[in-house]
Amino acid sequence: MTEYSLKQLQELRLEANKDKDVFVTLLEGSAEIFGAELQLGSKVSLRGNALAVFTWHGCKLAIEGEPDFVYVAEDTPNVSYINCHQVLHNLRQEAQASGGQGPRVVVAGPTDSGKSSMCRMLLNWAVRAQHQPTYVDLDIVRAQHQPTYVDLDIGQGSITVPGCLAATPVEAPITIEEGYPTQAPLVYFFGHTSPDKQEELYRYLVDKLCSVLDSRASSSPEVAAAGMVVNTMGYVDGLGYELLLHAIKSLKADVVLVMEQDRLFTQLTNQLKSEVGAMGKTVSVVKLYKSGGVAQRSSSARQQARAARIKEYFYGPDGGLQPVSVDLDATNMRVFRSGTGPRPPSSALPLGQARAANPLKVTPVVVSLELEQSLLAVSHAQVPDQLLPSNVAGFVWINGVDVTSNKVTCLMPTSAAMPGSYLLTGTIKTFIQ
Ligand SMILES: Nc1ncnc2c1ncn2[C@@H]1O[C@H](COP(=O)(O)OP(=O)(O)OP(=O)(O)O)[C@@H](O)[C@H]1O
């Protein structure tokens, strides 16, 4: 066990391998991991994480196990981040007092710029601030700042598996051990980890998610006043930029936080100067510096992280869930994929004729060996035409297909009957041991 004494505004940065146990215990003072407070004396597992334990006022920490690296850093951007939180907090308070809309915040930036960590900090600080009383019309009431977290990053999947667009209300701190709440997320299955081949579907699902979030906000003043924190893809060039802009407009974002990149900041500032957000004011584009601690991940590390995320969906973050392996009759499975097959390029069509195939339609998929190792979404849809606009209930993973007996072996979260009879597939494959 090694002890570290941190002075105010310092952080202990470390990377803990997924194969080794590493724990942190707060011995004295106060400290937080991405905005979630550590409790004095309680041991927190850091296995498989790159992170920083930050202190505003100083603390003493004990580290057990062998992190891949560990060091104390005193140069962090957290003061500018908390100032940003304070501005958002004030806007939420005003919205709560007036029954209006709170800030919808989009966090944008290239890959490995600290977007997901920033979202976590903003959400955790917002949840912690809800215990501060708000003064409204001479009554002391409790602020209900439970912002909705929206994840449009199909590459990683912080709420659920990769390949999805998802949203969830955040009512309690997001800790390193438990992650985001999983009780009632709103999830749409895109089915791919990059938007390139299905950009129309990506736009369509962003619009669908936004319209559901709009109607939730219009039926609850608390939900509206708490606003949203939105994580986006790290793909910010070309098509990635167009999709980011589309999401900002569709969400009616009020604030766009740009991590690090000057070019993206300038592009967005110019392009959004007359755009009005949900609060009725011009969108504010703010540049923030990225933390020097943000880890750079190779494409194979990302792929491993995606596989780990899918495994975690079935087995839980600490392996505490017990999924079941079930044999299904292939002839009873109704599997579909989005799109109606490859479309001819416009240049190959007679002049004036539009491309006929529709990416927003679904096509039936014959259950075959091709589906082995695929992740399938279980849809709430009642008919195939409703598959794309319907949110999904959960996921199954195809472990094996036996074409002679027509049996499909699936891994499912529980032994209960599937909550829907239609399954949606994409291009996400993984191997779960
Ligand atoms: N201050 C820090 N010290 C150590 N590690 C950090 C720090 N901030 C972030 N990290 C880690 O760096 C990695 C990348 O950060 P993060 O996921 O926030 O970036 P991102 O921009 O959302 O990435 P991407 O969009 O490419 O998936 C994560 O593992 C995160 O936990």
Side-chain angles (χ1 to χ4, degrees), residues 7-271:
K7 299 200 192 85
Q8 61 174 9
L9 304 183
Q10 288 188 335
E11 66 185 19
L12 186 71
R13 292 178 184 161
L14 49 82
E15 197 163 323
N17 194 300
K18 70 175 173 37
D19 303 318
K20 284 192 218 148
D21 272 332
V22 176
F23 298 97
V24 63
T25 308
L26 175 66
L27 302 176
E28 279 173 27
S30 59
E32 59 188 48
I33 298 180
F34 300 135
E37 285 175 299
L38 293 182
Q39 303 304 314
L40 263 179
S42 79
K43 198 155 110 171
V44 176
S45 168
L46 305 179
R47 185 190 266 258
N49 283 292
L51 51 78
V53 186
F54 176 79
T55 180
W56 293 105
H57 306 291
C59 70
K60 192 186 270 188
L61 302 169
I63 298 291
E64 276 175 70
E66 283 174 35
D68 286 359
F69 68 78
V70 54
Y71 66 96
V72 176
E74 50 189 48
D75 190 13
T76 84
N78 287 6
V79 171
S80 63
Y81 293 179
I82 198 92
N83 287 341
C84 190
H85 155 73
Q86 194 54 52
V87 172
L88 299 174
H89 178 71
N90 294 344
L91 291 172
R92 289 187 192 108
Q93 304 261 58
E94 282 166 24
Q96 198 184 18
S98 66
Q101 170 67 52
R104 296 181 174 190
V105 187
V106 168
V107 182
T111 48
D112 296 328
S113 59
K115 298 180 296 299
S116 313
S117 310
M118 183 68 193
C119 289
R120 252 180 202 239
M121 284 185 254
L122 291 177
L123 290 162
N124 278 329
W125 290 332
V127 169
R128 278 162 64 184
Q130 73 184 292
H131 299 296
Q132 293 172 3
T134 315
Y135 192 62
V136 186
D137 277 350
L138 305 178
D139 281 336
I140 300 289
V141 297
R142 286 211 174 280
Q144 294 292 322
H145 297 168
Q146 301 177 346
T148 301
Y149 173 55
V150 184
D151 190 5
L152 304 182
D153 184 1
I154 49 178
Q156 296 299 317
S158 49
I159 298 176
T160 182
V161 296
C164 296
L165 290 86
T168 184
V170 176
E171 292 160 7
I174 310 140
T175 63
I176 208 72
E177 286 176 310
E178 292 189 4
Y180 282 91
T182 50
Q183 291 84 345
L186 179 63
V187 180
Y188 292 94
F189 189 58
F190 177 65
H192 316 276
T193 53
S194 152
D196 289 335
K197 293 204 175 75
Q198 296 260 329
E199 60 168 283
E200 285 150 276
L201 178 61
Y202 185 86
R203 285 179 212 266
Y204 173 78
L205 292 179
V206 167
D207 292 346
K208 180 73 205 164
L209 183 63
C210 292
S211 76
V212 174
L213 293 174
D214 272 343
S215 61
R216 283 188 181 179
S218 60
S219 61
S220 161
E222 285 80 22
V223 171
M228 296 175 195
V229 174
V230 184
N231 195 11
T232 58
M233 293 185 285
Y235 177 22
V236 290
D237 298 318
L239 173 64
Y241 178 74
E242 283 171 33
L243 295 177
L244 171 64
L245 210 53
H246 178 87
I248 290 170
K249 291 180 181 177
S250 187
L251 283 155
K252 294 182 275 305
D254 300 289
V255 179
V256 180
L257 302 178
V258 180
M259 306 305 290
E260 194 73 8
Q261 209 189 58
D262 283 335
R263 190 180 117 189
L264 181 63
F265 171 70
T266 311
Q267 271 178 306
L268 289 173
T269 306
N270 291 337
Q271 202 129 20

Side-chain angles (χ1 to χ4, degrees), residues 323-336:
V324 291
S325 179
V326 178
D327 282 344
L328 299 178
D329 184 345
T331 44
N332 294 334
M333 289 175 73
R334 292 186 273 185
V335 184
F336 287 78

